[in-house]
Amino acid sequence: MNHDERVLHELVSEYGRTYADEAGIRLKDTPQPLYRLLVLALLLSARIRASVAVAAARALHEDRLDSPRRMAGADWQRRVDALGRGGYRRYDERTATQLGDGAELLLDRWGGDLRRLHEEAGGDTGELRRLLQEEPGVGPAGADIFLREAQRVWPELAPYLDTKALSGAERLGLPKDPDRLTDLAGNTEPAVLAAALVRAALDKQVAEDCLRRAS
């Protein structure tokens, strides 16, 4: 095992958990988990700690706001309150509006099923990324978060290592080529690799810890 492989082994061993797993989402290619992932991606894309976004996603699920129909049918204050219980207070009012509007758009345009959005993209990852950004509150960062995690159930996306993941590779002194990183990671799932690299990008201490243990 060379140095780069050791670094990735340490990274994945310690920090290789997807954000969907952290939020309690058992990701499958079915409407409800895909919708919960979209909501999580929206929450994570704000300038707020990832742990807070994950807690807010859990709080929405606990309040049964875990499908487009339920989200659209809930009043604005209920969405605000659920976000607040998750600690997501800085952006709660704007995000509550975006969640309601986004659920209505998803219902109207794709029948509440993100698999239809996936089909509309016709296998074009760039088009899929563009369509996701039609959802209120989902910008380029949110679309990337969704696709990094969705490659677990939409394998034709893999390896989806976006700019944020590649910045984590750079911080670790690793190649910034997705295929090379996938090769170095061996049997590691691309979604797990992407999440681990993002954690290194977001937290310098994560990278320093992995480099120390791999040396």
Side-chain angles (χ1 to χ4, degrees), residues 157-198:
L157 297 172
Y160 194 89
L161 301 178
D162 65 318
T163 302
K164 181 64 74 175
L166 294 178
S167 70
E170 183 175 30
R171 173 171 273 178
L172 289 158
L174 297 170
K176 291 181 67 180
D177 175 76
D179 290 327
R180 179 69 182 129
L181 286 166
T182 303
D183 287 343
L184 287 168
N187 294 326
T188 301
E189 282 185 72
V192 171
L193 173 62
L197 289 169
V198 167

Side-chain angles (χ1 to χ4, degrees), residues 15 20 35 56 58 91 93 116 125 144 175 183 194 198 203 209 213-214:
Y15 303 102
Y35 177 67
R58 284 182 170 274
Y91 303 103
E93 295 187 357
R116 295 185 183 179
T125 300
D144 282 337
D183 287 343
V198 167
D203 188 344
D209 178 51
R213 288 190 282 116

Side-chain angles (χ1 to χ4, degrees), residues 33-85:
L34 288 171
Y35 177 67
R36 289 182 63 195
L37 176 60
L38 182 67
V39 170
L40 176 62
L42 186 158
L43 297 173
L44 282 167
S45 64
R47 293 181 181 274
I48 200 162
R49 292 196 312 279
S51 58
V52 174
V54 167
R58 284 182 170 274
L60 288 165
H61 175 60
E62 287 164 4
D63 202 27
R64 294 180 57 77
L65 299 177
D66 51 10
S67 75
R69 196 161 302 283
R70 288 173 181 156
M71 187 70 78
D75 65 37
W76 178 81
Q77 190 61 53
R78 180 178 168 189
R79 296 193 294 268
V80 169
D81 290 346
L83 290 167
R85 283 192 294 276

